Each structure stands twice: as structure tokens, then as C-alpha cells.
Amino acid sequence: MKVIRDRLPVASGPVFTDDGRANSLYLNELFDAVAKETSARLRRRYKAEVPLTGGLWGGSWYFTDERGYTRARFRRLYSLVCVPQIPSLNDADNYNIVFWQYSKVLAEAFTSYGIALGEAQWGESIPYSNRIRPLISLQMWDANKKIDFIRCFFSYNSASWEEAYLYETVRLIQQTKEALDNRTMAEPPRLEGMAARFQLQDIVILYSTLEPILSDATKDVAGPLVVRIKTRFAQGMNDEDEMRGINAEAFKSGLIYGYEDAIRDEFAREGLDITKIEDWPVQKINRVPDSIKAKLIPPLKSIFKGFQQQLKATEAHGKKVGA
């Protein structure tokens, strides 16, 4: 009888440095390897065909050096997982099996880095996601405290990582708009703690993702502010009053509407209102107009290709010096 052994998900290089910084290229690879190994185990254990894809979520790669290393130790890691819309997963018990298997594979993947993931919790739906098939989170905590947690977001429709990320960008615009909508609020809400930091990060992430299709007017408004945010983060900004002050500037400038304007018409041509993403047909989850994909996916891919080239150049230089 042939014995089929489980495989340990791995990346093509070390995900973490000795001082705890993460590499976006390798972390992206590892999350995809976790998704694919989960699919393989579902096939072996249950004879279920559930092809999963995965990758980074959140845009941390916009805050790295030229090789993809974060400039500071990352305490919270995020992943985006695409799950196919198949009849068997309409059964909550079957979907729970997917979550359970994924959590086991995820824990195994990070063990070699001294991270002990446990206390898996899943089932929370995420705001501004599809009402019928919402984005569902799975979270695990590190008992060794090397990181705080890993949070994964399960999106219920098959897609490439790049397309799913761009679809999530539509949702992120609406989430970020909660503190920037000067057409419905007289002043921005007061952001406390990490909420202030996350808000500024999202302003940068959205700008960096959408930059190729932003209008010149939006770039003139948002560009200098984004540079300032990234510079201050690199310098270790942690003063909440300063962060709230920067968000107030973003609120006053109305830059969030420039982000919306960049994608509104292309989605509208397909009958989709970007301000009501929760009400889109479930078949449109993870679907992005070809015109937007053509302009935004190549720059997204080039970021990771650039990381790979720089890492290879560094490795080659190290071998040459050591020869």
C-alpha cells in the first residue's frame, strides 16, 4: 500500500531575519504554499477537490526595502486565501473542515521559525464584504510571542492572488473612507491606538496600488502626503496626535474621492457600484475589470520580481566576496 506523506509548506528563502523582520517575497510564497498544501490534504483525506490559492494581504510590501524586507519587526501577519464556490462548501460543516485543515498546515509552516501558532478561531465576517458570501477571517496566536498573530481572510471565489488583492482594494477604499468622508462628516472621527496607524497605512497602500490610474489632481494632493507618511514611519513615528493630525489633513483634502474616481467608471460599465460592494452578485467576488487589471497587475508583479532580482544580486555578491 502506497503511503502518501504530508508535505511541509516552504518558501524559496528565509521568511524572517534574525531580528524578526519579514521578507514580503518569501512570506507571499509561504502563504501560497500553505493554501496549496491544504488543498492537497483535503484531496488525500476527504477526496475533496478544493483548489485554494493564497498570498499576502494588506500591502506590507509597500513599506519594505529594495529586497522586500520590512524595515521593522512585524508583529502581525495577514494573508488572503481564495476558496472556490463549489456546492459542497455551502455546507458549513464542510467549510469548517477547510478552516481546520488550513489552521493545521499554517501552524506547521511557521514552526521552523520558532512561531507556535494555536488557539485557531474562525468565522468572523469582515465589513464591506459580500452580504451573501462575506470575507471570513481565521486567526491564530503565537504562544512563543515572536509575533502577535496571523490573520487570514478567506474570500469565497477562485482567482489569482493579484486579482483577489485588487478586488479587496475596492473594499479597503470603503473601509478607509469611514474616517475620510468629508462629504458626510464635519470632522474626522478620533482614532485611538493602532487604528490611527492602520488608517495612515491604508492611505499609503491605496495610493501605491492605484497610482498608475490615479488622476494628476489626485496625485498632486495625495502624493506628498503619502511620501510624508512613509518617511515618518521609517523614522519610527508613534505619536498618536501626529498620526491623527495627518489623517485630518487627508480628510480635509478629500483624497479618498480621488481613489474612488480612479476605478468607479470601469466597474460601473459592468453594472457594479463600488460604494455598494456588499450587494454585488456572488459571481463578482474577486472579479476586476480587464482594463483595471491590465494597468495594475503588471506593476504589482514587478514589485515582487524586483525583490527577487535584488535578493539574487545580494546572494551572488556574497558568494563572490566569500570566494
Side-chain angles (χ1 to χ4, degrees):
M1 180 178 177
K2 185 178 180 181
V3 177
I4 301 177
R5 300 184 182 278
D6 292 334
R7 294 183 178 180
L8 179 67
V10 295
S12 62
V15 173
F16 297 97
T17 62
D18 292 339
D19 60 356
R21 293 179 297 123
N23 183 276
S24 293
L25 173 67
Y26 298 141
L27 186 57
N28 195 48
E29 290 179 350
L30 186 59
F31 279 136
D32 192 43
V34 169
K36 287 181 168 56
E37 176 59 19
T38 300
S39 293
R41 295 189 188 185
L42 290 169
R43 187 180 309 111
R44 290 196 291 270
R45 286 163 171 71
Y46 305 96
K47 303 200 181 302
E49 292 296 331
V50 187
L52 306 177
T53 58
L56 279 171
W57 184 90
S60 59
W61 52 92
Y62 294 121
F63 298 89
T64 67
D65 65 18
E66 68 279 359
R67 295 180 298 162
Y69 288 105
T70 56
R71 299 182 185 277
R73 185 173 182 176
F74 259 43
R75 302 292 308 180
R76 303 172 180 184
L77 306 179
Y78 299 91
S79 175
L80 179 61
V81 185
C82 289
V83 186
Q85 290 193 31
I86 54 178
S88 62
L89 293 187
N90 292 335
D91 185 320
D93 289 338
N94 288 339
Y95 208 166
N96 283 336
I97 291 172
V98 174
F99 286 126
W100 173 241
Q101 290 296 325
Y102 182 93
S103 68
K104 292 172 66 176
V105 178
L106 185 69
E108 292 174 17
F110 284 85
T111 298
S112 63
Y113 297 103
I115 294 172
L117 295 175
E119 302 180 66
Q121 295 183 3
W122 63 78
E124 178 187 359
S125 59
I126 306 303
Y128 299 105
S129 58
N130 192 279
R131 294 188 196 281
I132 299 174
R133 303 288 192 197
L135 196 68
I136 301 294
S137 72
L138 177 151
Q139 188 158 321
M140 301 183 75
W141 284 261
D142 176 21
N144 292 341
K145 307 297 183 182
K146 294 192 73 172
I147 63 172
D148 293 337
F149 58 73
I150 296 180
R151 195 175 193 196
C152 305
F153 298 89
F154 284 70
S155 187
Y156 204 10
N157 212 2
S158 298
S160 68
W161 172 77
E162 292 87 359
E163 186 168 1
Y165 170 72
L166 293 179
Y167 174 84
E168 284 304 308
T169 296
V170 183
R171 190 191 63 78
L172 185 60
I173 289 174
Q174 301 312 314
Q175 178 178 298
T176 307
K177 188 179 179 180
E178 289 182 351
L180 295 176
D181 191 355
N182 66 20
R183 294 175 183 172
T184 62
M185 298 183 292
E187 59 183 29
R190 181 179 177 84
L191 301 173
E192 304 287 353
M194 290 300 294
R197 176 175 290 273
F198 290 152
Q199 176 70 8
L200 297 192
Q201 288 176 347
D202 289 344
I203 289 172
V204 173
I205 289 164
L206 288 170
Y207 180 89
S208 301
T209 301
L210 300 171
E211 186 176 9
I213 59 175
L214 292 175
S215 68
D216 289 341
T218 300
K219 290 179 182 178
D220 289 343
V221 170
L225 192 62
V226 164
V227 170
R228 181 175 154 202
I229 293 170
K230 293 182 72 173
T231 299
R232 290 295 293 122
F233 274 151
Q235 294 169 345
M237 177 174 57
N238 55 23
D239 182 273
E240 289 185 26
D241 286 337
E242 181 182 4
M243 287 188 275
R244 283 192 289 266
I246 296 175
N247 186 68
E249 292 180 40
F251 173 85
K252 184 177 180 180
S253 73
L255 63 80
I256 195 67
Y257 310 118
Y259 293 166
E260 286 185 328
D261 289 345
I263 63 172
R264 177 184 288 105
D265 290 347
E266 296 302 321
F267 279 99
R269 290 188 181 95
E270 300 194 4
L272 301 171
D273 183 346
I274 62 169
T275 67
K276 298 178 180 178
I277 190 172
E278 310 99 305
D279 299 321
W280 290 6
V282 294
Q283 296 85 355
K284 294 298 183 178
I285 296 172
N286 287 336
R287 297 298 179 252
V288 179
D290 289 340
S291 56
I292 292 180
K293 288 190 292 183
K295 295 174 182 176
L296 296 187
I297 287 182
L300 190 56
K301 286 185 173 181
S302 71
I303 293 172
F304 290 88
K305 184 177 181 181
F307 293 157
Q308 189 174 49
Q309 292 172 339
Q310 288 294 329
L311 286 163
K312 286 182 178 180
T314 300
E315 182 182 358
H317 178 72
K319 290 179 179 179
K320 184 176 181 180
V321 170

